[in-house]
């Protein structure tokens, strides 16, 4: 049988940076799943090539430009989306007494 890989988005970038699929023609071209991961089907020969590619020393990915920090608002609740896609609420101390009783 074939090998089916479910590769998370962050790992996908690392595999691409390190030529993890060197010598393998992925057909059809993998598209991201709704959660950002990729599903790849490999034949036994492709799996062996993939395993051999993983033995190569890793390359350093180019550092990504960090998003600027949003300004701190001491009077309002703010929401930002973190790199994992989760929303983070910032609730100032002065607003907690208003929220807690409800």
């Amino acid at each position: 049988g074939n090998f089916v890989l479910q590769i998370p988005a962050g790992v996908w970038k690392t595999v691409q940076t390190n030529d993890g699929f060197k010598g393998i023609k992925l057909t059809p071209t993998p598209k991201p799943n709704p959660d950002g991961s990729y599903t790849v089907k490999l034949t036994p020969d492709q799996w062996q090539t993939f395993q051999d590619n993983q033995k190569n020393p890793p390359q350093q990915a180019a550092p990504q430009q960090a998003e600027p920090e949003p300004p701190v608002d001491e009077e309002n609740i703010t929401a930002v989306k973190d790199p994992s896609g989760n929303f983070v609420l910032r609730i100032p101390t002065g607003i907690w007494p208003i929220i807690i009783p409800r």
Side-chain angles (χ1 to χ4, degrees):
N2 290 329
F3 294 85
V4 178
L5 305 178
Q6 181 79 25
I7 304 173
V11 175
W12 179 260
K13 290 177 186 175
T14 302
V15 170
Q16 295 292 336
T17 300
N18 292 315
D19 291 329
F21 295 110
K22 183 178 179 180
I24 301 171
K25 180 160 177 53
L26 298 175
T27 53
T29 301
K31 303 274 189 250
N33 296 319
D35 66 356
S37 67
Y38 289 79
T39 303
V40 178
K41 188 185 293 186
L42 300 176
T43 65
D45 288 340
Q46 290 172 324
W47 171 250
Q48 186 57 54
T49 301
F50 180 78
Q51 291 292 81
D52 292 343
N53 290 341
Q54 300 312 301
K55 295 175 187 172
N56 296 329
Q59 299 174 12
Q60 291 292 340
Q64 294 183 350
Q65 194 77 342
E67 297 263 334
E69 288 290 322
V72 175
D73 186 339
E74 293 298 329
E75 297 179 6
N76 296 298
I77 297 172
T78 56
V80 294
K81 199 171 192 180
D82 70 8
S84 68
N86 294 321
F87 286 96
V88 178
L89 291 178
R90 185 179 179 289
I91 304 172
T93 307
I95 295 179
W96 272 110
I98 298 168
I99 296 173
I100 296 294
R102 298 193 172 131

